[in-house]
Structure formats: structure tokens, C-alpha cells
Amino acid sequence: TTELQAIAEELSAAGAAPQLGVTSSDEDRLGVSVGEGAITGTYEVEIQTRARTSQLAGQGYADAAATGVLGTGTAVLDVGGNQVNLSIGSGQDSLEGLRDAINNAGLDVQASVIDDGSGATGQRLVIRGTKTGLANAVSLDASGLSGGSQPLTLSTLSAAQDAIVVVDGLTVSRSENTLRDVIPGVTLDLGAETAPGETIRVDVDLDQEATADRVTELVDAYRDIVNKIRDASQPGDETVAAGPLIGDALASTALRRLQSASSGAVGAGTILTPVDIGLETNRSGNLDLDRAALISALETEPENVATLVADLATRLEAAADELTTSGTGLLEVRAESLDSRARDLTRQIERRELSLEGYETMLRRRFTALESLSSRYQSQAGLLAGLSPIPQGGN
């Protein structure tokens, strides 16, 4: 029942809220996903700017490892207003030395030395922030380094900036390109900027298919556990062994609990019973789902369907818990009872085996004694047979 419990718990936790879905008219430029707290609605989103990181680059050098080039002293690294003084001593004043000092500063920044392919002076220091947004802007003041043969000069390849979007005419800015608090319950992933005035449509609506899929999964899990209980209580034949629960009242008890839970769910409006959403118990005692009927009910009374599904899930979760709860579940209690009985039978078998072994030992001793006695008799018979007959007459 593990799968049944998991699905039922998920649907039960969703309460009486119908499942929502979200779509974007341009998934490449604006990815969307839905979560808790979403409400139905349509939104127009203009992506004016995406959030970016700072990226700086120095001029070209011939050798990234050469010292005596940048100069010694103190360079000041600033990331989002957090400043660290980088002490550059003799033997460290190379591109690689300054790179390592930046990377060891403990700030949200990464430095590297790259070859830009320009030839003899293609070694360049590149500094990039690891977080987007103006609040994480990066700068490096190398004016405190002196005595070098080629002081460092930095240029801005990319300035830090915030993401700016306009949602239904309201302009908002964030430091990241993943916006989770602009539209309730909806996450926006900014992929590319739109043209000025161009908008992307975001629709939050009922997701009938997703809800139907979850109900279908619940029914499939229910059917699976019912089939397993039935298989375990079937008599065997020449080809198939009898089930372990044959003749056991637990099987019928478990089926009654599940069937009672599935048929007792209550909704609202005109969606009052499982039958109203296409859920019926068939002649074999299992559940059948009319998906078309479920979709139709979702289209007309989604809130009431959600109420019924949540109650159904709650009842099935409780029934599954009653069967499997550790220590008190019917299946576990029955399993422990069977284990105890098996242990008793094992002990009885062991005692009987010991008794049989003792009986076998006694019989062996008797047999040995009989063989010994028989051997003695045979020996005496041989001696008697070898004696000469006693003469008859006077001599």
C-alpha cells in the first residue's frame, strides 16, 4: 500500500483546491511553473532587462606567471559593498598571483586568466561576479599597487544590472532572473528580453488533465493493492500454489475497509459521490474510472470535484494507514501473528527432530546389540558343528 498511501497523502494535502496549471505564450523567452498559492488569472509580462553579473577584464600581458609586473601593495576588492583588502607582496604581483588573491577573498566573485588569442600579449585577467543584480556589483581598485612594470588597468565588459519586468503595467525589479514573488504561486524564469512594448501572455488556469492523471494514479494504486489481496487469497491448482491468505479473514477485512473508504467519499454541489466523477465499483469489487466523466465534472464544478477527491484521498489514506501502520496495522499485526505461529511450529519441529534423533540412536544401539548377539550365536553354532559325534557302544 506504499504507493496508494503516497498518492492519497498528496491529494489529501492539496485540500479542496483544484489543481492549477500555467502556460506561457513564449516558453523560450519566459519559462513558467506553478506552485502553492496560485490563483486563476491572465497576465501580460514585458521583460525589459534580464539580471546580469559584473564582468571586468584587464589589458593583455605576455606572461601570466611573470612577477614584478603589477606592483606590490594593497588592492581593494568590492562585491556588493563588501570590501576586502588584497595584500600583494613581492613574488605575488603577477596575473596569476592577483587571480588567486581574488578567489581566496571569500566573496561572490571568480577570477581567471584567459588567452584572448591576440598573440604575444594575449594573457588577460577576467573578474566576474557569481551573483546577478546591482546589489552584487563587482569592482577592483588596483591603484594601491606600485612598482610594477605594467600596472593593471581594468575595463568593464558587462555591468551588473537588475531584472526589470512589467506585469500588467506594474514595473518590478529583482536581482535574479528567477522571479518567485511577482505573480502569486507562479515562478517566472526570464530567458530573453522582449522588444519595447511587447508582452508575453501568462495564463494560470485549471489543469483538468493533470488532476485527472493524479486521480487515475490513485485508482491504479487502489486496484493494484486490491488485486494483490485477491491473488493472495486464491486457492491453488495443479500449476499455481495457493495464496498465503487463503481462508484468512484478514483478506476480506482489508477489502471491506478499502471499499468502504472508496465509496464513502463526499463532495459538494451536484458532485456528491464518487459516481458523479466517473468512479464506480465493478462486479469484482475493484474501482473503474470514466476519465471523460471526470474531465466533464472538472470543467463544470472544479471546486466541488476537488472537495470530493480530497475527501476520497483522506479516506483511502486512513484505510491504508489502518492496514500498514507500524505496530498497530492489521497487516503488520497479522504478519507478526503468523511469524509467531511459524516460530512455534519451528520449535515443535526442532523438538520432534531431537526426539526422532534420540529414537534413532536407541534403535541403532539395539540393532548393534542384536548384531553382536547374533554373531555370538553364529560363533557358538560353528563350534558345536565342529565337534565329533560321541561314539556309541562299549568302546
Side-chain angles (χ1 to χ4, degrees):
T1 60
T2 302
E3 184 178 2
L4 176 64
Q5 284 174 293
I7 299 172
E9 182 179 0
E10 181 179 333
L11 287 172
S12 176
Q19 189 163 349
L20 300 179
V22 60
T23 58
S24 166
S25 62
D26 190 338
E27 288 282 354
D28 292 333
R29 289 188 292 177
L30 180 61
V32 291
S33 58
V34 68
E36 293 184 7
I39 57 176
T40 59
T42 299
Y43 308 86
E44 298 292 336
V45 180
E46 177 187 353
I47 306 173
Q48 293 187 346
T49 63
R50 296 181 71 252
R52 289 185 172 83
T53 62
S54 296
Q55 191 165 348
L56 312 174
Q59 75 273 33
Y61 289 81
D63 187 351
T67 59
V69 177
L70 303 181
T72 59
T74 301
V76 180
L77 177 65
D78 186 302
V79 180
N82 296 318
Q83 293 186 347
V84 172
N85 293 328
L86 307 178
S87 297
I88 307 299
S90 178
Q92 293 178 295
D93 58 338
S94 64
L95 288 186
E96 292 180 350
L98 181 56
R99 174 201 65 193
D100 294 342
I102 293 171
N103 288 335
N104 292 329
L107 300 179
D108 296 317
V109 65
Q110 177 181 329
S112 58
V113 176
I114 65 170
D115 186 343
D116 66 7
S118 62
T121 56
Q123 302 297 312
R124 302 180 66 184
L125 178 69
V126 176
I127 305 170
R128 181 178 64 84
T130 58
K131 290 185 177 180
T132 56
L134 288 172
N136 299 298
V138 177
S139 66
L140 178 68
D141 182 1
S143 61
L145 303 179
S146 62
S149 61
Q150 189 180 356
L152 178 68
T153 301
L154 291 169
S155 59
T156 300
L157 298 181
S158 174
Q161 69 178 29
D162 288 336
I164 300 177
V165 299
V166 181
V167 180
D168 288 346
L170 177 65
T171 301
V172 297
S173 63
R174 297 291 186 271
S175 62
E176 298 179 342
N177 290 312
T178 299
L179 283 58
R180 297 181 175 86
D181 57 353
V182 176
I183 299 175
V186 175
T187 298
L188 304 176
D189 288 312
L190 310 183
E193 296 165 0
T194 57
E198 179 189 9
T199 61
I200 298 173
R201 181 186 178 97
V202 175
D203 287 306
V204 183
D205 206 348
L206 298 175
D207 193 340
Q208 290 97 343
E209 292 295 335
T211 301
D213 286 343
R214 297 305 288 153
V215 175
T216 300
E217 291 176 7
L218 180 67
V219 172
D220 288 343
Y222 178 96
R223 292 173 61 87
D224 182 62
I225 187 62
V226 168
N227 288 334
K228 286 180 178 177
I229 293 173
R230 291 194 179 282
D231 290 343
S233 55
Q234 291 297 316
D237 54 29
E238 295 82 359
T239 60
V240 180
L245 295 180
I246 184 171
D248 196 319
L250 174 64
S252 58
T253 299
L255 290 174
R256 284 197 303 271
R257 301 288 172 84
L258 290 171
Q259 290 166 359
S260 175
S262 65
S263 61
V266 178
T270 63
I271 309 296
L272 293 175
T273 68
V275 175
D276 297 323
I277 62 171
L279 268 175
E280 293 189 71
T281 302
N282 58 32
R283 296 179 64 181
S284 66
N286 221 321
L287 279 181
D288 286 333
L289 172 64
D290 184 341
R291 188 181 177 94
L294 175 59
I295 294 293
S296 177
L298 284 166
E299 290 173 347
T300 57
E301 298 184 56
E303 298 287 345
N304 294 335
V305 172
T307 299
L308 177 63
V309 170
D311 189 49
L312 172 65
T314 299
R315 290 170 179 270
L316 288 177
E317 182 185 5
D321 288 344
E322 186 180 7
L323 294 177
T324 61
T325 298
S326 177
T328 61
L330 295 178
L331 293 176
E332 183 167 336
V333 170
R334 185 59 176 150
E336 177 58 33
S337 174
L338 292 175
D339 286 343
S340 176
R341 183 179 177 186
R343 289 192 293 269
D344 288 341
L345 290 174
T346 299
R347 285 192 290 268
Q348 291 179 30
I349 291 171
E350 290 174 349
R351 287 195 296 268
R352 182 59 59 87
E353 287 178 343
L354 288 174
S355 176
L356 290 174
E357 288 176 0
Y359 186 62
E360 180 185 10
T361 300
M362 180 193 69
L363 290 178
R364 287 183 180 277
R365 288 175 178 171
R366 289 184 177 182
F367 180 76
T368 301
L370 287 173
E371 278 195 326
S372 176
L373 183 60
S374 174
S375 177
R376 289 170 56 192
Y377 285 153
Q378 288 177 352
S379 177
Q380 291 176 358
L383 289 173
L384 291 173
L387 293 175
S388 299
I390 298 174
Q392 302 292 328
N395 298 325

